[in-house]
Amino acid sequence: MSRYFSGFITMDDTIKLYTFLGAATLLIAPSIWKTWVNSYKLRAIPTVGTSGHIGALQFFSRAPALLREGCKKYRGSIFKVSTWPNWLILVSGPQMIDELRNASDDELSAEMAFRESLQMEYTLDAELFKSHYHLDVVRSSLTRSIANKLSEVQDEIETAFNDHLKAKTDEWVTVTAYPTIMDIVCRTSNRLFVGLPLCRDPDYLDLNKKFSISLVLTASILTLLPSFLKPIVLPLFRELPRGIKRGYKHLEPLFKDRLEKEARYGKDWPGEPNDAISWLIEHSGNETSQPARIRGMILRMLLINFGAIHTTTISFTYVLFELATRPEYVQPMRNEIEEVIRQEGWSKISVGKMKKVDSFIKETLRLADFPTIVMQRKAMKDFTFSNGVTVPAGNTVAVATTPTHTDSEFYPHPETFDGFRFEKMRDEEGMGHKHQFISLDVNYVLFGGGRRACPGRFFAAHELKVMLAHVLMNYDVQMANGGGRPEKLVLGTVSLPDRKAQVMFRKRA
C-alpha cells in the first residue's frame, strides 16, 4: 500500500501536509478552547426544562410555566432555558435585575441584543446603528412634543373611533378588537409622526401594519439559520424590500420637500411642521449624500412605527378586555376623568393626574405577560454577577416579565387583579411619582430599565390613557355574546391577545 501511494505523495508533500495540518490546528485551537470554556461556564448555570432541540420545543410550547418554575426555584439568582439556536439566560430577583440594568454597554449590550433579535444586518441595514439618532428623536423630540400635540392626538382618536365603530345610543355595535385597535393606534401615532393627510392614507397605514409583521417573521426565520446561509436565503423574503419601496413612495417626497425648504429658508423656517419628518431631518445631520440620508430617515421612520404600533395595540387590546369584563371599575374611573377635566381641562398635566386610569392600565399589563421577557442584553465579554455566576461572552441575558410582576415579596396577592393597586401605592407618603405607569422599577420591568429603558414610554403612556379615557367617556363596553376574558396566545417569548375576540360598543347618551 505504501509503495502504491509513494508514486503520488512525495516526502516534500508529506512535510507540507503536516505543516498545513499543524498550522490549521494552531489556528482553530483557540476557537475550540474558547467553545469548551464557554460550555463549561454555561454548565455552571442551572437549567430549567430539557436541553437541546427537545428543550427548545418545550420552551416554545410552555415558556411561561418554565419561566415561573425557574424564577421560583432560583429567585435572586440565575438560570437558563434552551432556545433555538442558543441558550437564554434569565436573572431573577431585584438585586440581579438591578445589576443587569446597571451593567455598561461594553459588558451587556441592549443594542446588540436588539440587532441580533431583528437580524438587522440582513433585514434592514447595519448602518442604522452607526448613528442612533432615531432614538434621540423618540427620547427628546417626541417626548417634548406631547403637551403641544395632545389636542391632535385626541382629535385623531375621536375621529378614528367614529370611523371604525359607527356606534349608536340605542344599539350595540360588535367589532373585532385587535385589528380595530391597530387601525386606531396606527392613525393616532402617525398623526404625530407624519401628520394629515398621510396619517389617514389607507396604503400608508397598511404598509406600517404589515411591515412590522414582515420584519419579525423574517428575523425569526433567519435566526434559525447558520450565518453562511442567511445572505443566500434572504432574497426569498420579498415582503421587506417591497415594504421599503412603499415607504419610499410615501415618505421620499416629504423628506425632499422639507430639505429643499430648509436649504432655501434655513433651519427652523417659518411654518415648519412639528412632526417626525422634521425631527429626523434635524437629528440626521448632513454628513452623508442626500440619497443615503433620505434612505436612512425612511428606514428609521419605519423602525419608529415598528416600535410604536404593535406594542401599543397589544397593550390597549388587553386593557379593553379587562374593561369589558370588569364593570365595577368603570364608574370610579369616569368620575375621576370628569373631576380632573372639570378642574383643569385637557392637558398633559391633567392626563397625568388621572391616577385611577393610570393604575388600571399598569395593573392590566402587570398580569398580561406581555412581553414574556424584557431587558435583553448580549454579553460582549464574560460578565460575572455578584453571586459569582459568570455569563460567557456571546450569550443573551434577560428578565422574565410575569414572575417579576407577581413576586409575592413585593405584591400582596400577586395573582389577583386589583385595578387601583398602584393608585393606592401612590397615595402612600412619598410614593406619588414612584408607582406611575411610566416609572422604572426593578419590580415592574415592562419598560426595561437603566440607560436603555424604552425611550417611547412617555408617549405610549399618554396615548393609552387618552384612548382609555375616550372609551370610558363615550361608550359602554362589553365582550360579545357575554364572553369572559379571551385566552392569550403564547408561543415562546411571544404573548398575544386573542386577535379574533369581539367586543361590543354602545354610544353613551
Side-chain angles (χ1 to χ4, degrees), residues 25 78 99 121 124 152 168 185 212-213 221 230 263 288 303-304 309 312 356 363 445 465 501:
T25 301
I78 302 171
E99 291 182 28
E121 283 78 359
L124 290 179
E152 294 182 42
K168 300 178 181 179
V185 168
S212 298
I213 297 171
I221 295 172
K230 293 176 184 180
T288 59
L303 200 57
I304 289 171
I309 294 171
T312 305
K356 285 183 168 63
E363 177 72 353
V445 292
K465 288 162 74 172

Side-chain angles (χ1 to χ4, degrees), residues 158-326:
E158 180 178 355
T159 305
F161 268 98
N162 288 339
D163 289 346
H164 285 282
L165 298 186
K166 309 292 185 185
K168 300 178 181 179
T169 57
D170 56 349
E171 63 182 70
W172 291 92
V173 173
T174 302
V175 298
T176 305
Y178 187 83
T180 302
I181 297 304
M182 182 176 288
D183 286 339
I184 293 168
V185 168
C186 193
R187 281 179 53 167
T188 303
S189 300
N190 277 284
R191 181 69 180 266
L192 265 72
F193 299 162
V194 298
L196 291 168
L198 186 55
C199 71
R200 297 179 186 176
D201 183 290
D203 186 69
Y204 183 71
L205 297 176
D206 183 69
L207 157 65
N208 281 294
K209 289 183 290 185
K210 289 182 177 178
F211 186 83
S212 298
I213 297 171
S214 298
L215 178 58
V216 171
L217 287 177
T218 303
S220 299
I221 295 172
L222 289 175
T223 299
L224 304 177
L225 303 176
S227 297
F228 76 91
L229 270 182
K230 293 176 184 180
I232 299 171
V233 173
L234 188 60
L236 299 177
F237 300 97
R238 299 176 181 176
E239 286 303 312
L240 277 179
R242 287 172 183 163
I244 294 172
K245 186 176 180 180
R246 290 171 76 187
Y248 264 85
K249 181 183 77 171
H250 292 289
L251 297 170
E252 186 179 31
L254 293 177
F255 281 118
K256 282 186 174 181
D257 178 66
R258 300 282 180 90
L259 288 169
E260 288 172 3
K261 288 179 178 175
E262 182 181 273
R264 187 182 307 168
Y265 305 116
K267 292 186 177 181
D268 302 320
W269 46 275
E272 180 184 17
N274 181 27
D275 59 20
I277 300 289
S278 295
W279 305 334
L280 285 166
I281 290 173
E282 176 190 352
H283 286 274
S284 66
N286 54 7
E287 68 279 2
T288 59
S289 66
Q290 181 164 308
R293 186 182 181 191
I294 289 176
R295 175 179 169 78
M297 291 189 290
I298 290 172
L299 291 178
R300 284 173 171 84
M301 183 70 83
L302 293 172
L303 200 57
I304 289 171
N305 269 282
F306 168 79
I309 294 171
H310 287 268
T311 53
T312 305
T313 297
I314 293 168
S315 297
F316 194 76
T317 302
Y318 279 127
V319 169
L320 188 61
F321 289 164
E322 295 293 346
L323 185 70
T325 54
R326 300 186 186 275

Side-chain angles (χ1 to χ4, degrees), residues 18-38:
Y18 276 99
T19 302
F20 171 78
L21 291 174
T25 301
L26 289 173
L27 287 172
I28 66 173
S31 177
I32 294 173
W33 173 253
K34 183 178 180 181
T35 301
W36 186 86
V37 170
N38 283 349

